[in-house]
Amino acid sequence: MTDELLTAEAVETVYRRLAETMPGRTPGAKGPKGQPDAFRSCVSCMLSAQSRDANTAAAARGLFALATTPQGILDLDDDAIAAAIKPCGLYNMKTRNLRKFCTALLEEHDGVVPNTRKGLMSLPGIGRKCADIVLSFTFGEDVIAVDTHVHRVCNRLGLARGKTEAKTAQSLEDRTPDWALHEGHFWLLQFGKQVCNARSPKCDRCPVSDLCLWYARDGKV
Ligand code: SF4
């Protein structure tokens, strides 16, 4: 991976073009993975590690059919939790993490999910990506959550650099103009799914190919 980055002027242009061509935030959309509150959003993010969206949704449905509060989940035995979340894989580890998360939430935050990145990341099992997703989707903050799609797009284009999603998130935050923070995640996510996808990016119909550092270097990916 090169360290080269787009200029501030080019970054502005990229966001402007994505804003013109990609869907933004959907008004009234529910939280991440369709969850209606911060607690269920956090749990759903934790379940999503190394899991496809459909499997995460099935696991979340199974778990929330049994309990929707930290105490409710702690009252379940491990076997019941593991069986409910089995579709998302790594269910024994995720069961242990869920228990730690619910315990910390009750003991340190009176059961209320904090609405700051620092507070969220102090909870077991909540990393930068989950924290930013909850901040953006549930609390409506101007934060660009970096998932696998946003991470890939940023590093190909030269919008931001980072070997991990968390490092890309920091780089992107430092380089994104304020006006693009509210919708940026949605533009980049849709762009990553529709155009700059993982296996066969559609560079020939990409609205920012004249700015893309990867395209300039190789003419293709
Ligand atoms: S030119 Fe290709 S690699 Fe670059 S951002 Fe567009 S689709 Fe992605």
Side-chain angles (χ1 to χ4, degrees), residues 156-157 191 195-196 201-203 206 208-209 212 215 221:
R156 277 181 180 165
L157 258 172
F191 180 66
V195 182
C196 192
K202 299 172 178 63
C203 304
C206 171
V208 290
S209 59
C212 175
Y215 193 66
V221 294

Side-chain angles (χ1 to χ4, degrees), residues 19-219:
E20 284 161 10
T21 52
M22 291 295 139
R25 208 179 258 271
T26 310
K30 287 184 179 170
K33 320 288 182 199
Q35 298 306 331
D37 59 48
F39 174 69
R40 278 178 273 188
S41 296
C42 286
V43 170
S44 191
C45 278
M46 292 171 74
L47 296 179
S48 72
Q50 295 181 53
S51 167
R52 291 177 179 277
D53 284 354
N55 296 336
T56 303
R61 259 196 318 276
L63 180 64
F64 298 144
L66 302 177
T68 56
T69 63
Q71 190 59 57
I73 287 180
L74 287 177
D75 288 344
L76 299 170
D77 63 37
D78 283 358
D79 288 346
I81 297 174
I85 66 171
K86 197 165 186 178
C88 68
L90 303 173
Y91 47 90
N92 286 325
M93 186 192 78
K94 289 178 182 177
T95 295
R96 285 195 296 277
N97 287 346
L98 276 175
R99 205 169 270 294
K100 286 186 200 157
F101 168 76
C102 291
T103 301
L105 196 54
L106 284 170
E107 289 181 355
E108 293 159 29
H109 298 276
D110 292 329
V112 178
V113 175
N115 62 358
T116 63
R117 183 182 289 144
K118 193 174 168 205
L120 283 160
M121 288 180 68
S122 73
L123 292 164
I126 303 293
R128 167 99 189 216
K129 179 172 76 175
C130 279
D132 284 356
I133 284 176
V134 174
L135 284 176
S136 171
F137 284 74
T138 306
F139 294 119
E141 297 280 329
D142 291 349
V143 167
I144 299 186
V146 174
D147 64 3
T148 183
H149 300 288
V150 177
H151 174 68
R152 178 181 67 254
V153 167
C154 287
N155 281 282
R156 277 181 180 165
L157 258 172
L159 208 51
R161 292 287 174 213
K163 288 204 166 112
T164 62
E165 290 171 357
K167 289 206 167 101
T168 298
Q170 190 55 54
S171 169
L172 189 63
E173 185 171 86
D174 294 343
R175 312 192 79 248
T176 298
D178 287 349
W179 65 266
L181 287 172
H182 191 63
E183 305 262 6
H185 168 81
F186 302 87
W187 298 329
L188 289 164
L189 177 71
Q190 290 305 322
F191 180 66
K193 286 183 172 178
Q194 295 175 26
V195 182
C196 192
N197 51 41
R199 297 227 173 113
S200 51
K202 299 172 178 63
C203 304
D204 54 338
R205 63 175 185 83
C206 171
V208 290
S209 59
D210 58 318
L211 299 165
C212 175
L213 296 179
W214 193 336
Y215 193 66
R217 202 171 56 248
D218 295 343

